[in-house]
Amino acid sequence: MLKRTTALIAGSALLAVPAVTLVAAPASADVERSGACGGGRYELSVDREGAGWEVNADLDRVAPGSRWRVVLKHDGRTFYSKVRTADREGDLDVERFRRDTAGKDSFRLVAKRVNGKATCARTITVA
């Protein structure tokens, strides 16, 4: 009886450790926002990556061949500003890395269609 009780306690402890680890893990700083833009969709995501942030801006299902001015800002300062052309599927992607700064970090996407009225913008703040 003692062996069975010891085995049951040991087995329960092994099962409880992963559950406690999952609950005790720090909250993820990964944030993603999306919305409608120029007949398609945009997505801005900011993911913790080592000592900084991976910033991804995507436009999907916009007009193939359409040109967009894509601007990315970190704490109000522009770190990316280029005109990009949507591929034949109507997609364009921008991926950049930014070092972490003191306090909260704020990232902003502004995408404006060249020679068009469509504009989309979104800000994400992470700690």
Side-chain angles (χ1 to χ4, degrees):
M1 181 71 169
L2 183 58
K3 286 183 181 180
R4 189 182 304 173
T5 303
T6 304
L8 182 60
I9 291 171
S12 297
L14 288 174
L15 291 174
V17 170
V20 170
T21 302
L22 288 175
V23 172
S28 172
D30 300 348
V31 181
E32 191 174 289
R33 300 287 184 262
S34 62
C37 186
R41 307 261 324 145
Y42 74 86
E43 182 178 287
L44 174 62
S45 66
V46 178
D47 302 324
R48 170 64 75 186
E49 195 67 41
W53 305 99
E54 183 178 292
V55 182
N56 293 302
D58 302 325
L59 289 176
D60 299 317
R61 299 187 313 255
V62 295
S66 59
R67 294 170 28 97
W68 294 79
R69 165 69 65 184
V70 179
V71 178
L72 294 172
K73 295 183 178 195
H74 181 194
D75 294 337
R77 293 188 176 158
T78 300
F79 67 92
Y80 181 87
S81 179
K82 290 191 178 180
V83 173
R84 301 285 306 270
T85 302
D87 65 18
R88 59 181 98 177
E89 286 83 34
D91 300 338
L92 67 89
D93 305 316
V94 175
E95 183 177 311
R96 293 290 180 264
F97 178 82
R98 297 295 293 169
R99 290 245 174 244
D100 194 9
T101 59
K104 294 182 178 181
D105 289 84
S106 177
F107 297 93
R108 181 161 179 80
L109 160 68
V110 178
K112 180 172 177 25
R113 186 167 178 174
V114 176
N115 298 323
K117 295 182 181 184
T119 300
C120 44
R122 191 62 179 246
T123 300
I124 291 177
T125 301
V126 290

